[in-house]
Amino acid sequence: MNRLPIVAKITLWFSAALVIVVSITSVMILFVSDQILQKTIKDSLIDTVENNFDEVEFYPTVASADPNDTDYFVKYIDGFLEIDDDYLNEVNNVYSALYNSDGTMIYGENPIAGEIDDVEFVNSVVQSKKIDGTLYYIFDRSLSENGLDGLWLRGVVSENQGSVPMDKITRITIVFLPALMLLSIIGGYLLARRMMRPVKNISDTASQISDGGDLKKRIELGDGDDELHRLADTFNKMVERLELSFESERRFTSDVSHELRTPMSVIMAQCEYSLEKPMSGEEYCDCLKTIQRQGRKMTSLINDMLSFARMETNAEYYSKESVNLSETVSAVCEDMAMIKPNGITLEYEVQSDISVLGNAALLTRLVSNLIDNAYRYGKADGKTSVTLTQDTENIYLTVSDNGIGIKKDEADKIFERFYRADKSRNSNGTGLGLSMVKQIALFHNGSVSVESEIGEGSKFTVSFRKN
Ligand code: ADP
């Protein structure tokens, strides 16, 4: 069963359920119809006998009866029984006859007269007797209520009287319902096959991706909003994220090797140069200083990479506690305000007693990276300002400068690792500062955004949700 295709499974379950329902319904229809028919037959038997009940009267002499009557007269004791011409011997196969209490038939018809002589007369009760495999209903009525003691009216009818309509019902039930069931099964199978078509599409695409590794493939189901379309959407989004993540990993690896290659080449060149021929102590010193500078650059690059990896995969490495962000930001600003590179001044306005659950070292890094950028991309004698505020839901840290600004189409890209808006502008940066800011903000359930105008300046805003 497990190996069967889903369409076959659905059709089998559906058919089994349908067979059960149709069988139960057929049995119920046949049973109820039979009950109704039998009741109708009995009612018709009782009605016929009751109708004939008033049609029998006693007269002492024939002359005392209405002379114009065409009724039937039977000699009875010392008088006559008058059987009215409304008396019906047979109506719809119900037979009715007049009997003496000793069982002698006086008038009427009874096709099974000899077979039911042993059935006692019982007033107003439907009795039954099986004769040659056929059931007969018998209904007796005593005429003593009409003052005719010892006389009985007996009606008989066979249960087969209802066999014609019952045959019809049986035929309809046995032929029509299964035919309907067969049609439903075929319809159900076709519908299930049609509904499962998208699943095949999904599975084919998944196989193509897993076999060929082509993350550009997507499931195309067309318009729709059912479960399968939503599944396809989720699948497509998942593949898109995988594609992005693979792409960023690939770019990251190539960027890292590229970024390390430059300082490494400088170090190698300096070593070769100093080993080539004897040099003065001062020249050796210069070489060592260059090597040291490049070594520092590599160290900071490697440290940054490690920090990224730890934040992404090993969150416990950076413990979180309640940090007084107001104090942290003020301390960084106080220290960095003293640098005044290129005559750039730093102003800061920090709302007191703002705290977040976070890591003080990382938050310090976030603030200093932003100020560092504002200095590096600021204009000579320019201005940098830092603010820290909060409202009921969020905490906002802004770092603004009136520096060179960022092009609109680059505003999002600058948060990517190793991205530099204009590499020729500044060769000192690693291209990791802002991606580190973004990573730290995310680590604290926050986000970072930038508003900027080329030549006017930039404003970076970090928002943290209050805990
Ligand atoms: P970098 O080491 O190159 O500064 P960052 O990740 O810190 O790396 O910044 C990425 C790029 O964003 C920078 O190369 C620069 O082009 C741009 N940038 C960052 N901060 C500013 C700023 N305050 N003003 C103008 N451009 C900026």
Side-chain angles (χ1 to χ4, degrees):
M1 184 80 176
N2 280 344
R3 297 176 141 262
L4 281 178
I6 291 181
V7 175
K9 276 188 207 162
I10 292 175
T11 313
L12 273 181
W13 281 112
F14 168 72
S15 310
L18 214 62
V19 167
I20 293 171
V21 171
V22 167
S23 308
I24 293 174
T25 313
S26 306
V27 169
M28 272 167 62
I29 289 176
L30 291 176
F31 177 76
V32 172
S33 307
D34 188 52
Q35 293 293 308
I36 293 171
L37 264 174
Q38 295 308 314
K39 182 161 183 332
T40 313
I41 294 169
K42 285 180 194 168
D43 287 349
S44 149
L45 169 69
I46 294 170
D47 282 353
T48 307
V49 174
E50 291 291 351
N51 285 339
N52 285 341
F53 181 78
D54 292 328
E55 313 304 340
V56 182
E57 276 178 276
F58 178 78
Y59 292 98
T61 61
V62 176
S64 56
D66 185 347
N68 299 322
D69 261 351
T70 55
D71 298 342
Y72 188 80
F73 293 91
V74 184
K75 180 115 190 62
Y76 183 65
I77 314 176
D78 48 354
F80 293 91
L81 287 176
E82 182 216 29
I83 319 291
D84 200 280
D85 57 3
D86 286 342
Y87 183 103
L88 299 171
N89 289 346
E90 184 264 322
V91 185
N92 292 333
N93 289 326
V94 178
Y95 295 88
S96 164
L98 184 63
Y99 280 88
N100 253 328
S101 53
D102 62 2
T104 324
M105 189 159 83
I106 300 171
Y107 183 79
E109 264 184 64
N110 182 354
I112 49 162
E115 316 281 351
I116 55 169
D117 289 349
D118 55 337
V119 179
E120 295 275 321
F121 287 109
V122 185
N123 191 31
S124 293
V125 172
V126 177
Q127 303 183 79
S128 62
K129 182 172 181 188
K130 210 167 212 164
I131 299 162
D132 295 336
T134 308
L135 190 73
Y136 285 86
Y137 295 117
I138 304 154
F139 182 72
D140 301 323
R141 195 75 168 80
S142 164
L143 290 180
S144 54
E145 278 172 42
N146 277 359
L148 298 170
D149 285 338
L151 282 183
W152 289 85
L153 265 180
R154 165 162 282 185
V156 291
V157 66
S158 147
E159 68 160 352
N160 287 345
Q161 146 74 1
S163 64
V164 178
M166 198 57 203
D167 278 356
K168 268 191 197 159
I169 294 172
T170 312
R171 216 172 308 132
I172 289 174
T173 314
I174 288 181
V175 175
F176 184 68
L177 280 184
L180 210 67
M181 185 179 78
L182 204 69
L183 276 180
S184 307
I185 291 174
I186 295 171
Y189 169 74
L190 293 176
L191 196 73
R193 215 174 60 166
R194 196 185 145 82
M195 304 221 25
M196 290 310 285
R197 216 172 288 152
V199 175
K200 189 170 174 328
N201 190 335
I202 294 172
S203 114
D204 287 351
T205 312
S207 308
Q208 280 169 10
I209 292 173
S210 82
D211 296 345
D214 183 2
L215 287 171
K216 297 231 171 312
K217 279 235 163 308
R218 297 289 180 272
I219 300 166
E220 312 281 351
L221 290 190
D223 291 341
D225 190 30
D226 56 20
E227 289 86 342
L228 288 177
H229 280 84
R230 285 202 287 275
L231 173 69
D233 261 6
T234 315
F235 181 87
N236 284 345
K237 278 185 196 139
M238 186 187 81
V239 177
E240 197 173 314
R241 286 193 60 183
L242 275 179
E243 188 191 0
L244 280 176
S245 135
F246 276 126
E247 175 58 26
S248 94
E249 281 310 309
R250 196 192 55 72
R251 218 176 46 227
F252 184 63
T253 320
S254 97
D255 285 347
V256 169
S257 43
H258 180 259
E259 295 300 320
L260 286 176
R261 201 178 298 139
T262 315
M264 207 57 214
S265 321
V266 176
I267 290 173
M268 290 305 288
Q270 287 296 317
C271 291
E272 274 161 28
Y273 174 67
S274 52
L275 290 173
E276 230 171 47
K277 53 180 176 27
M279 293 192 300
S280 66
E282 205 174 322
E283 281 174 315
Y284 278 124
C285 199
D286 282 347
C287 275
L288 281 174
K289 274 183 189 159
T290 311
I291 291 172
Q292 187 189 39
R293 208 169 40 245
Q294 295 303 324
R296 280 202 185 117
K297 198 169 177 178
M298 284 173 75
T299 309
S300 92
L301 204 69
I302 290 165
N303 283 342
D304 282 352
M305 308 306 316
L306 270 175
S307 302
F308 272 119
R310 280 169 187 152
M311 270 190 279
E312 273 172 4
T313 57
N314 185 12
E316 304 89 58
Y317 184 86
Y318 293 107
S319 61
K320 280 187 183 171
E321 58 201 358
S322 177
V323 177
N324 187 325
L325 195 58
S326 307
E327 282 176 11
T328 308
V329 173
S330 301
V332 176
C333 289
E334 202 175 310
D335 289 349
M336 294 189 81
M338 288 190 277
I339 306 173
K340 293 196 179 70
N342 259 339
I344 300 173
T345 52
L346 173 69
E347 291 168 1
Y348 53 99
E349 205 178 311
V350 174
Q351 212 175 303
S352 58
D353 293 330
I354 297 180
S355 299
V356 283
L357 185 68
N359 183 283
L362 289 178
L363 290 165
T364 304
R365 182 89 176 268
L366 178 146
V367 184
S368 61
N369 275 10
L370 287 173
I371 299 175
D372 192 46
N373 277 353
Y375 280 170
R376 279 193 290 138
Y377 304 106
K379 284 181 195 151
D381 301 322
K383 216 172 77 178
T384 297
S385 52
V386 176
T387 66
L388 182 71
T389 52
Q390 65 178 347
D391 60 21
T392 45
E393 288 179 356
N394 297 303
I395 296 166
Y396 304 99
L397 169 77
T398 67
V399 179
S400 327
D401 61 66
N402 57 353
I404 59 175
I406 303 155
K407 286 188 205 145
K408 288 260 174 302
D409 59 334
E410 288 186 315
D412 282 338
K413 296 183 191 151
I414 55 170
F415 295 101
E416 289 171 19
R417 286 172 206 177
F418 299 116
Y419 187 87
R420 289 181 206 136
D422 181 357
K423 292 185 184 162
S424 60
R425 294 193 303 199
N426 189 319
S427 55
N428 291 334
T430 57
L432 285 175
L434 284 181
S435 49
M436 179 66 73
V437 167
K438 183 177 171 186
Q439 195 69 34
I440 296 172
L442 284 175
F443 183 76
H444 291 86
N445 299 325
S447 61
V448 58
S449 61
V450 63
E451 295 158 53
S452 186
E453 280 293 331
I454 276 282
E456 299 279 312
S458 313
K459 179 180 177 186
F460 287 85
T461 306
V462 184
S463 325
F464 301 104
R465 277 200 82 76
K466 281 175 127 177
N467 304 311

